[in-house]
Amino acid sequence: MGVTRAFPIKIADDRGKCASCPSICCRYITQKIATPRARGDFEHLLWQVSHQGIEVYQDEDGWFLLVHAPCAHLEASGACGIYTARPPICRDYSNDFCEIDEPAERHFRVHFRDYAALLDYCRKRFKGWAGKG
C-alpha cells in the first residue's frame, strides 16, 4: 500500500490543492524513531512491520514508522469533519509542496513495506541472521 498517485489539480477554493485531493496526508501518520544500528533494533522493527498497516522507511531526515490509518475525522467525501477546530499540526501543515506534487517515496533511501522485505535486508546486513520468511 503506497501513497503514490497522480491527480488532476483543480483549485476550487481557499484550500488550494487540498480542495481536490483525496486527503492523502490524512490517511497515515509517520513517527520518527531512533536509527536502528544493532541486531536487537532490527528485531524490534521486524516485530513492528509484522503488524498490518505498519511500514518503516529512512529518508534524509532519519528513520520513521509509517502507520496507515485514516484520521477518525475524515469524512467519506475526503473533507475534514472538524476543519474549523482541527488540531494545530493540521492547521500548520503547508501544502506548498506535498504528495500531489511528488510522492514522498521518491526520497526514501530504504523502505520496508512488510516483514519479508525487512528480513531480507537484515539477512544481508548481519552475518548468520536466520529467521523464518
Side-chain angles (χ1 to χ4, degrees):
M1 170 186 249
V3 287
T4 57
R5 295 177 211 120
F7 308 101
I9 306 301
K10 299 176 190 170
I11 307 301
D13 61 20
D14 66 334
R15 294 180 298 143
K17 291 183 237 180
C18 295
S20 61
C21 175
S23 307
I24 298 169
C25 61
C26 300
R27 297 182 185 280
Y28 69 91
I29 63 167
T30 58
Q31 180 67 49
K32 189 164 186 155
I33 59 175
T35 299
R37 292 183 176 22
R39 183 180 173 127
D41 298 335
F42 284 95
E43 288 171 346
H44 190 79
L45 288 178
L46 280 166
W47 168 74
Q48 290 174 309
V49 300
S50 292
H51 291 81
Q52 188 174 21
I54 306 294
E55 300 178 12
V56 176
Y57 71 90
Q58 178 197 26
D59 67 11
E60 65 187 20
D61 295 323
W63 286 77
F64 295 84
L65 283 182
L66 170 62
V67 181
H68 293 281
C71 176
H73 306 291
L74 190 61
E75 296 179 345
S77 67
C80 177
I82 59 166
Y83 188 78
T84 58
R86 67 197 185 279
I89 195 167
C90 301
R91 195 173 296 280
D92 295 341
Y93 178 76
S94 169
N95 70 357
D96 291 342
F97 187 80
C98 67
E99 289 186 78
I100 285 181
D101 301 303
E102 181 177 66
E105 289 139 330
R106 287 198 182 150
H107 300 279
F108 292 177
R109 293 178 180 163
V110 293
H111 183 194
F112 307 107
R113 295 180 185 273
D114 56 31
Y115 180 89
L118 183 54
L119 181 61
D120 183 57
Y121 178 84
C122 291
R123 286 178 173 156
K124 292 174 183 170
R125 182 174 171 144
F126 298 97
K127 287 185 176 186
W129 188 293
K132 296 180 180 180

